[in-house]
Amino acid sequence: MATTIKMNSSHEIPKLAFGTWQVDPKDVGTALKGAIEAGYRHIDCAHIYGNEEAVGAALADIFKSGVVKREDLFITSKLWATQWGDVAAACAKTLSDLQLEYLDLYLIHTACCLPTSKPTVPYHKVWAQMEDLVRAGKSKSIGVSNWSCLQILDLLAYATIPCSANQIEIHPSFPCAKLAKFLQERGIVVEAYCPLGFGRHDSQQPAVIAAAEKHSVTPQQVLLRWSFQKGYVAITKSVNPERLRSNIAITNFELTAEEMAAIDAVPADPQGKICDHATEFGAPLYD
């Protein structure tokens, strides 16, 4: 099974990513170097994570050491909700912090704009600015995160450069199956964040434990393999070197159709959604 997906922009995206969400700036350099050594070639970042300067310093060291070259890595970052008014400036800040000349993928991080001043920026105007980044060579591909099917349909009506990905929360107890199918049918890559689920809830499901025991792997590896076989990009993170190696070691076994179906049948739990921005955005986005 392929370890990359060809996006509608013609670029290849690795199906396993090292995520930098909630990684302390003082730890992210060591964790990133460990991830590269373990074999990760997709790095997922965002302005709002507050650690892009530390990530950039680590990347500079890694490139200088010759362990990998810039072109060996697929690097993603994201536009935060308060930055819709000037996408070029936001991307320039991220590129400066990351010490890069271009991104492989730049995503609109949020489903709505948080105004720093009124009026807010509508979807078609922020997307036009995103397209300008591709034309300027600042990002090879562009996409969104946390967007619904209705927002995607709106976007498809006016986009002249395609939306290459939608990064959304997906794990067995919050599978977003209909949205994922909708995206894949339209050639939009599904990126799954929080693929290990909510605490121990997903990893302790009987179907997950049974598959782990059969294949002599961990429940976390089964969850990542489930996403992998669904055709999603799974974004996982750890600052633990052993876990970094374990999370990426999922290509030497395959879940059977019966095992996939059993995990698909894990009861969906709306309360199990990890990233609910309702309080942050002042709107019941997921209710």
Side-chain angles (χ1 to χ4, degrees):
M1 182 174 289
T3 58
T4 63
I5 301 172
K6 189 170 185 178
M7 297 187 293
N8 56 23
S9 62
S10 80
H11 298 290
E12 300 276 342
I13 182 170
K15 290 174 67 176
L16 283 171
F18 170 71
T20 58
W21 178 50
Q22 292 186 332
V23 181
D24 192 292
K26 66 178 172 48
D27 298 324
V28 75
T30 300
L32 178 56
K33 291 173 184 177
I36 297 296
E37 290 172 1
Y40 292 85
R41 293 297 181 264
H42 181 176
I43 313 301
D44 185 78
C45 310
H47 169 76
I48 196 62
Y49 297 167
N51 55 14
E52 286 194 326
E53 285 189 60
V55 171
L59 286 172
D61 288 343
I62 290 166
F63 296 148
K64 185 176 180 180
S65 72
V67 174
V68 292
K69 299 177 182 178
R70 169 63 185 96
E71 55 268 30
D72 297 326
L73 298 183
F74 188 102
I75 301 176
T76 298
S77 188
K78 309 178 194 78
L79 176 82
W80 185 240
T82 57
Q83 298 178 308
W84 287 27
D86 194 340
V87 174
C91 186
K93 168 64 173 167
T94 277
L95 288 173
S96 176
D97 287 347
L98 293 176
Q99 301 187 41
L100 300 175
E101 293 184 359
Y102 68 91
L103 295 167
D104 294 280
L105 179 63
Y106 196 50
L107 304 176
I108 300 174
H109 201 160
T110 57
C112 64
C113 173
L114 279 176
T116 51
S117 62
K118 293 187 177 181
T120 58
V121 180
Y123 296 126
H124 69 282
K125 289 190 176 180
V126 72
W127 188 256
Q129 295 179 74
M130 295 288 286
E131 291 186 349
D132 286 342
L133 296 179
V134 178
R135 297 186 185 100
K138 301 301 181 183
S139 187
K140 291 185 176 182
S141 304
I142 50 177
V144 298
S145 179
N146 299 304
W147 279 37
S148 71
C149 60
L150 293 178
Q151 290 168 304
I152 295 292
L153 283 173
D154 182 68
L155 172 60
L156 294 176
Y158 47 75
T160 59
I161 294 177
C163 174
S164 291
N166 188 9
Q167 188 177 122
I168 53 179
E169 181 176 337
I170 292 184
H171 43 90
S173 65
F174 193 82
C176 291
K178 291 180 180 179
L179 176 55
K181 182 174 183 288
F182 170 91
L183 294 167
Q184 290 179 322
E185 287 175 346
R186 287 156 180 79
I188 298 171
V189 170
V190 177
E191 292 193 89
Y193 68 76
C194 299
L196 301 182
F198 181 69
R200 298 185 178 186
H201 180 75
D202 291 80
S203 62
Q204 291 187 343
Q205 291 293 324
V208 174
I209 292 173
E213 291 175 349
K214 176 182 175 182
H215 296 282
S216 300
V217 296
T218 67
Q220 291 74 21
Q221 288 173 309
V222 168
L223 291 169
L224 292 170
R225 181 72 199 190
W226 175 80
S227 285
F228 191 90
Q229 288 182 217
K230 287 281 189 182
Y232 306 155
V233 172
I235 301 166
T236 184
K237 74 171 179 71
S238 179
V239 296
N240 181 301
E242 184 177 343
R243 261 187 216 148
L244 283 169
R245 291 190 292 271
S246 175
N247 286 344
I248 202 172
I250 64 167
T251 58
N252 57 352
F253 73 98
E254 185 170 350
L255 299 174
T256 66
E258 292 76 17
E259 288 168 334
M260 289 292 290
I263 297 172
D264 286 346
V266 166
D269 180 9
Q271 300 305 313
K273 189 175 194 322
I274 297 166
C275 295
D276 188 343
H277 306 293
T279 300
E280 193 166 24
F281 296 136
L285 297 178
Y286 307 109
D287 292 342

